[in-house]
Amino acid sequence: MQKEIRASFNQSFSEVKYQEFLADLNNATQGSLEFRVAETPVFVPKSLKDKLISTCESIIDVIAGDDFKAKTDKAIPTEQNVPNENEHTSFLAIDFAVCQDDQGEFVPQLIELQGFPSLFGFQYLLSETFQKHYNIPDDYDFLFNDFDRKSYIDAFKKLVVSDEQLENVIILEIYPEKQKTRVDFEVTEKLIGVKAVCLTKIIKEGRKLFYINDGVKTPIHRIYNRLIFDDLTNFPDLRTAFSLTDDVDVEWIGHPNWFFRISKYTMPFLNNPYIPECRFLSDYTGKFPENLSDYVLKPLFSFAGTGVKINVSESDLTTITDPENYILQKKVKYEPVIQTTDGSAVKCEIRMLYIWQKDEARPILLSNLARLSRGEMIGVRFNKDFDWVGGSVCFMER
């Protein structure tokens, strides 16, 4: 998006250099990456960065409001309501499409948001590896708010570990060694010392939880949660001693309820020039927008794009029996803004990554994630067999 920097990067790019970059990423982990990493980082000019941040702050105004919990109580499915919810989310991830306005200026458009952790560990490694293999301008950074690499780790560790002993804090997942994002667990353990533990390995005794750590039965006091209920539906016959909805003596870092509260459910409450029109389907009293081709239908309770309908007809809407569980959102036009070495351009989505310390009034912007796409939608299954697509990181102009 910065023409001079993009031209310089593309001119110096080679497939050999890219393969060396990937090899370095793979060598930093125990196994090869399970998802595609793009050939390039994203260079974001300050004008777009400022728009991204100001839009995020307007969203945070809503989330930090005194009435937000009351507004979003219905977002949590009754059978998935987890006890001991904390006062606010520990994490906030806000996704934007990069678009262009009528004047040709780069502008963000909100796609989704979630009160759930993203790849805080892997993005640290990815940005570091890009900086090692490519010439990244000194006045561009992947961090915000005067964080450097040391203070990044310190802030992340303070949030997850706090004053606990490392052995009493775990990352919770289901079969973490099989997850495509397992590289993030490996990097996180290296950065802050917290291990990933499978839900099936948790021992429950009354209100207490334990796991076996190097052969020793060890109490769990804090859970850095990376497990969502949708993942558990893939294992209908799973039997565990501990269920997420059990009332136990642990502190959640990334409480499961916030995954539902801060989600597509939040979007109808937001208002900003860079947030597309969005309403609950149940809010329409029989009269839908005439230009339905300009809208996308999304189920509230789905993950990774499942159930999203891009080409919407009125019959699609009238046959839905639970309209309160759907949103109708104005479509966003992703603009191919990143030039590749073959003269084509690819689309870009930017995720702004926030952490929210326990006693702070608001979350703070820490890092970012980017995804590049040639397909109709962002995501691995829509970008198979393409190059210059996949996960990346933004370096934004200071």
Side-chain angles (χ1 to χ4, degrees):
M1 286 176 278
Q2 283 282 39
K3 290 184 178 179
E4 297 81 6
I5 297 173
R6 172 53 54 200
S8 175
F9 181 93
N10 287 8
Q11 186 175 14
S12 66
F13 178 83
S14 71
E15 184 63 26
V16 170
K17 186 180 289 189
Y18 174 57
Q19 293 302 324
E20 291 173 347
F21 159 79
L22 288 180
D24 217 3
L25 272 179
N26 283 315
N27 288 337
T29 65
Q30 296 178 18
S32 60
L33 296 172
E34 289 290 326
F35 52 89
R36 194 177 198 282
V37 174
E39 283 81 344
T40 180
V42 178
F43 302 106
V44 176
K46 190 174 186 301
S47 58
L48 177 57
K49 171 187 172 181
D50 290 345
K51 293 182 180 76
L52 286 162
I53 292 175
S54 65
T55 307
C56 287
E57 290 302 314
S58 76
I59 293 169
I60 291 169
D61 287 341
V62 173
I63 293 172
D66 293 338
D67 60 347
F68 183 71
K69 275 196 172 185
K71 283 181 177 179
T72 57
D73 276 342
K74 292 181 180 179
I76 307 168
T78 303
E79 70 280 6
Q80 296 176 348
N81 197 325
V82 176
N84 304 313
E85 181 181 327
N86 48 4
E87 287 302 308
H88 56 69
T89 185
S90 302
F91 302 96
L92 180 60
I94 308 178
D95 292 350
F96 294 93
V98 178
C99 308
Q100 283 184 293
D101 63 15
D102 294 339
Q103 289 72 47
E105 295 290 323
F106 296 122
V107 295
Q109 285 290 309
L110 179 68
I111 300 299
E112 286 188 357
L113 66 165
Q114 57 183 19
F116 192 75
S118 196
L119 305 178
F120 284 94
F122 180 70
Q123 291 307 109
Y124 181 99
L125 173 66
L126 179 61
S127 59
E128 187 175 56
T129 310
F130 268 125
Q131 288 175 319
K132 177 180 176 181
H133 286 265
Y134 298 98
N135 182 26
I136 308 299
D138 291 338
D139 55 343
Y140 280 71
D141 201 353
F142 84 107
L143 295 170
F144 303 91
N145 292 304
D146 297 322
F147 281 103
D148 58 20
R149 290 195 174 272
K150 181 182 183 303
S151 58
Y152 177 103
I153 296 172
D154 291 344
F156 186 35
K157 187 172 184 178
K158 176 184 175 183
L159 178 67
V160 175
V161 180
S162 187
D163 297 325
E164 289 288 347
Q165 297 297 311
L166 284 175
E167 62 267 23
N168 301 126
V169 185
I170 66 163
I171 304 170
L172 182 64
E173 244 296 7
I174 181 71
Y175 304 122
E177 71 283 356
K178 297 180 181 179
Q179 296 292 331
K180 288 185 177 181
T181 54
R182 66 177 183 270
V183 60
D184 185 63
F185 307 145
E186 294 176 24
V187 178
T188 298
E189 182 175 352
K190 290 178 182 178
L191 292 179
I192 65 173
V194 177
K195 298 178 180 180
V197 178
C198 181
L199 178 65
T200 63
K201 304 295 184 182
I202 303 297
I203 303 165
K204 181 187 173 191
E205 297 180 359
R207 295 179 56 87
K208 306 295 183 183
L209 300 183
F210 303 85
Y211 74 112
I212 303 301
N213 179 31
D214 296 330
V216 178
K217 182 179 169 183
T218 304
I220 300 169
H221 297 160
R222 291 166 73 87
I223 293 176
Y224 172 29
N225 184 47
R226 296 295 299 272
L227 177 60
I228 62 173
F229 282 99
D230 273 21
D231 287 342
L232 293 177
T233 62
N234 296 323
F235 307 95
D237 299 323
L238 194 70
R239 296 292 180 265
T240 62
F242 167 58
S243 171
L244 295 187
T245 55
D246 289 342
D247 191 359
V248 291
D249 293 330
V250 297
E251 185 172 3
W252 293 92
I253 311 304
H255 192 285
N257 288 0
W258 288 102
F259 175 82
F260 296 109
R261 290 187 185 277
I262 302 176
S263 62
K264 291 186 286 289
Y265 195 95
T266 309
M267 295 183 68
F269 303 120
L270 306 176
N271 183 27
N272 184 280
Y274 301 123
I275 298 177
E277 175 193 336
C278 182
R279 294 172 65 183
F280 294 109
L281 188 59
S282 56
D283 286 348
Y284 292 93
T285 56
K287 185 173 177 57
F288 300 111
E290 293 182 4
N291 53 334
L292 281 176
S293 61
D294 292 339
Y295 289 80
V296 59
L297 180 68
K298 297 181 177 180
L300 291 176
F301 305 108
S302 71
F303 184 62
T306 57
V308 173
K309 196 168 187 64
I310 296 176
N311 301 308
V312 183
S313 68
E314 187 163 336
S315 62
D316 292 325
L317 306 182
T318 56
T319 55
I320 291 175
T321 58
D322 56 341
E324 70 279 4
N325 291 326
Y326 287 81
I327 57 171
L328 198 61
Q329 180 183 345
K330 197 78 176 285
K331 278 183 180 176
V332 167
K333 183 184 177 183
Y334 288 78
E335 195 69 30
V337 295
I338 298 176
Q339 299 296 318
T340 73
T341 52
D342 66 6
S344 63
V346 297
K347 305 169 189 174
C348 178
E349 189 169 286
I350 296 172
R351 175 174 293 178
M352 306 290 270
L353 297 176
Y354 287 76
I355 60 172
W356 198 339
Q357 303 287 3
K358 184 176 182 178
D359 298 323
E360 295 294 329
R362 293 171 72 90
I364 188 167
L365 181 57
L366 186 61
S367 180
N368 74 83
L369 177 154
R371 294 189 291 180
L372 308 187
S373 170
R374 294 182 189 265
E376 187 176 24
M377 292 176 65
I378 300 286
V380 174
R381 66 180 178 277
F382 302 103
N383 287 275
K384 290 181 179 178
D385 304 319
F386 292 143
D387 61 1
W388 286 69
V389 299
S392 188
V393 65
C394 296
F395 290 96
M396 300 197 187
E397 186 177 12
R398 290 195 180 97

